[in-house]
Amino acid sequence: MSAPPPGSFPPDEENPWTTRSTRVVYENPWIRVEENQVIRPDGEPGIYGVVYPSHVALGVVPIEASGHIWLVGQHRYPLGRYSWEIPEGGGDPAADLRQEAARELREETGLTASRWEHLIDIHTSNCFTAERAVIFLARDLTPGEALPEGCERLQLARIPFGEAVDAVANGRITDGVSVAGILAAARRIDG
């Protein structure tokens, strides 16, 4: 295999996987889990499990004119640990995703924003899920009352944006949507 010329991606390859059969092994209002009988790229039979969320993941990087960012802290059940994150949640894939993100921002922080920019779309963990996340930058913020869902016990933090970037770099912020959103916002703001 030869290396591509510096500064360029090689062309995308064709799909080397063959799906022989698919069955739903679990489903609830939030996710569907499928088990696929496949032929792997090496020609051998195998299985591949995929998680399909029913919602689009949404993230909001709310930055004030002063350069402060709002973060949300909560205990994350799957990790068994506390997590500091940008405001985020799920949105209806058929709805206006910016409006869905505005709803999440308002619910979790009480903030509303009058200026919105799309930052980045990511796939959160493409080795086992088809989850897509859409992340926005929100500015010109107005405070209000937060209305978190019953499954959320949230803390809010308002910190200088540079401290949030440092928290990503030193591993304090590990949530993938938050990491991508904060780094994309840093790139947008710096340049």
Side-chain angles (χ1 to χ4, degrees), residues 11-68:
D12 292 350
E13 293 184 1
E14 294 294 319
N15 181 0
W17 293 83
T18 301
T19 303
R20 298 179 58 161
S21 67
T22 299
R23 70 183 181 103
V24 175
V25 294
Y26 178 78
E27 191 167 14
N28 68 31
W30 301 278
I31 62 169
R32 182 180 81 251
V33 180
E34 293 182 357
E35 179 181 277
N36 301 283
Q37 297 297 318
V38 299
I39 302 297
R40 302 180 329 187
D42 64 3
E44 294 295 318
I47 63 169
Y48 210 114
V50 181
V51 178
Y52 293 94
S54 58
H55 293 86
V56 174
L58 299 169
V60 181
V61 181
I63 299 180
E64 298 176 340
S66 66
H68 288 81

Side-chain angles (χ1 to χ4, degrees), residues 71-74 82-85 108-109 153-157:
L71 298 174
V72 176
Q74 64 183 306
Y82 207 78
S83 179
W84 284 99
E85 307 165 0
E108 293 193 355
T109 67
R153 190 157 95 197
L154 308 176
Q155 282 190 83
L156 297 178

Side-chain angles (χ1 to χ4, degrees), residues 16 21 30 37-38 50 57 62 71-72 75 88 102 105 123 126-127 132 144 146 148 151 153 178 184:
S21 67
W30 301 278
Q37 297 297 318
V38 299
V50 181
L71 298 174
V72 176
H75 190 272
E88 57 188 58
L105 177 64
H123 291 103
N126 62 7
C127 62
R132 172 177 158 238
C151 62
R153 190 157 95 197
S178 299

Side-chain angles (χ1 to χ4, degrees), residues 98-156:
R98 202 235 10 111
Q99 289 179 0
E100 294 284 277
R103 176 188 46 75
E104 281 294 334
L105 177 64
R106 191 172 47 257
E107 284 177 6
E108 293 193 355
T109 67
L111 297 169
T112 57
S114 61
R115 195 163 54 129
W116 289 84
E117 297 174 54
H118 173 263
L119 274 175
I120 192 170
D121 289 11
I122 65 168
H123 291 103
T124 58
S125 189
N126 62 7
C127 62
F128 75 91
T129 181
E131 183 178 48
R132 172 177 158 238
V134 179
I135 307 169
F136 296 90
L137 177 62
R139 299 193 212 205
D140 297 338
L141 305 174
T142 303
E145 183 180 347
L147 301 166
E149 296 178 28
C151 62
E152 297 174 318
R153 190 157 95 197
L154 308 176
Q155 282 190 83
L156 297 178

